[in-house]
Amino acid sequence: MATDADKTDQVRPKTRSWSDPVRAMTRMLGPAEPKPVAPAGFRGRDTIVDCALYVDGVRQPGEWSPEDALHAAREETGNAFVWVGLHEPSLTTMTGIAETFELHELAVEDAVHAEQRPKLEQFGEINSLVMRTARYVRHAELTETTEVVETGQVMLFIGPEFVITVRHGDACRLAPVRAGLEQRKELLAQGPWSVAYAIADHIVDLYIDVSDQVETDLDDLETQVFARQVHGRIQRIYQMKRELVEFKRAVVPLLRPIMQLTESTNRHVPKEIRRFFRDVQDHLIRVAEQVNGYDDLLNSILQARLAQVSVEQNNDMRKIASWAAIFAVETFIAGIYGMNFPNMPEFRWEYGYPAVLTLMLLAAIVLYRWFRRSGWL
């Protein structure tokens, strides 16, 4: 008797035009593993955080595998789609997902490696959206090694009947997004792009929170720079600038992909969802402007601190020069009377020694008061 796996093999085509490159990439980039007997048995199930089937905005009960959920979504007469959530999947896992949902091998490679720039790409009817996530790391005090912004990546594959989210890092968890979106059934009924909007909106909201917290850190840093008796401030400024650059790399490049999603010429995004993306775009523009302003402010703080260092160095040099001038007079007098010529004035005077010491002391006092009044000491 034929098993369910055998029936699945009979129904599903054995080869696809994209499958050979994916398997070849698996052999090159990852260790060889036994070929699964059925598509439902591919490895890496532990990286699948959640897999659900939605029909008309309502989550269907039961536990679903990606293959069964996709098959059920294609058989539904209503508005049905699958949402698969992955967390830091391996190449083997993504290869199995790619074979099930017919993803391009280049997109699979981008999903495995988490250092992608925010972008929007199209592979036929499937769109790939990459977003950098950011989270503010709370700290008691800003030091030379303090981590201020933690970043990660979320990549979405959006097709007509599915949306796949691939999350790297813990800067943005998507479970609250799924739970909140399931409460908005009318929005969820719009299809996979409603998920893309909800995730983008959540990520930009985190940007706003990070931006507000960074502004507080910049205010504290500015106060410290112009305070007295504070050391090591330049290192703190450079550390803050590195963290701000990392945050800026997440925010600014995302403007173009979001703008592409709001264009009326984009036939993949429903008209109603484009309106929601415009709201996300407005918030993102605000954050990008703030980040650029913070960058300029931080440059100004750095320049002010460097000017302070130059002034402090000039003050130190003036103090050194003042003391050198005082001791130069003493050395001059001592040098004259140290030549021991027999016919020197007052050479044999009984009170010559105390008189010379008194003269040296008076000269030092006069010079000290003069430099002090001039601000050199």
Side-chain angles (χ1 to χ4, degrees), residues 86-246:
L86 304 174
H87 179 232
E88 298 181 356
S90 64
L91 181 62
T92 303
T93 301
M94 280 308 304
T95 301
I97 292 292
E99 291 179 354
T100 301
F101 293 91
E102 302 183 13
L103 305 180
H104 197 277
E105 65 267 18
L106 295 179
V108 173
E109 184 179 359
D110 290 345
V112 174
H113 300 89
E115 299 299 328
Q116 302 299 319
R117 182 182 176 88
K119 59 183 178 180
L120 176 65
E121 294 182 324
Q122 294 182 0
F123 302 95
E125 293 296 321
I126 300 176
N127 288 264
S128 171
L129 176 62
V130 179
M131 294 180 286
R132 299 291 298 175
T133 59
R135 181 177 68 89
Y136 180 77
V137 180
R138 301 191 178 277
H139 47 272
E141 182 183 4
L142 181 64
T143 65
E144 292 80 0
T145 58
T146 301
E147 182 182 13
V148 179
V149 180
E150 177 187 356
T151 59
Q153 176 181 296
V154 171
M155 187 172 186
L156 291 84
F157 298 98
I158 306 129
E161 299 158 336
F162 64 87
V163 55
I164 302 171
T165 57
V166 182
R167 177 171 63 91
H168 288 270
D170 294 326
C172 175
R173 297 183 179 272
L174 301 182
V177 179
R178 186 188 290 264
L181 192 57
E182 289 177 354
Q183 301 299 321
R184 305 172 63 182
K185 297 180 181 179
E186 294 182 358
L187 178 60
L188 194 57
Q190 296 290 329
W193 281 103
S194 63
V195 177
Y197 153 72
I199 294 176
D201 184 59
H202 181 62
I203 290 176
V204 173
D205 285 344
L206 291 179
Y207 288 169
I208 296 175
D209 178 67
V210 173
S211 179
D212 294 339
Q213 297 294 336
V214 167
E215 183 178 10
T216 303
D217 283 342
L218 288 177
D219 291 339
D220 295 339
L221 187 62
E222 187 176 12
T223 302
Q224 293 176 8
V225 165
F226 293 100
R228 295 179 179 271
Q229 305 299 328
V230 179
H231 303 284
R233 287 168 290 189
I234 288 186
Q235 291 82 356
R236 298 177 187 180
I237 297 173
Y238 275 115
Q239 175 63 19
M240 190 66 189
K241 191 169 182 62
R242 284 195 296 266
E243 296 295 314
L244 187 61
V245 167
E246 184 177 0

Side-chain angles (χ1 to χ4, degrees), residues 14 18-28 35 95 99:
K14 295 298 182 181
W18 43 264
S19 60
D20 291 338
V22 172
R23 293 193 180 97
M25 183 175 62
T26 304
R27 290 194 297 269
M28 290 186 293
K35 182 178 179 180
T95 301
E99 291 179 354

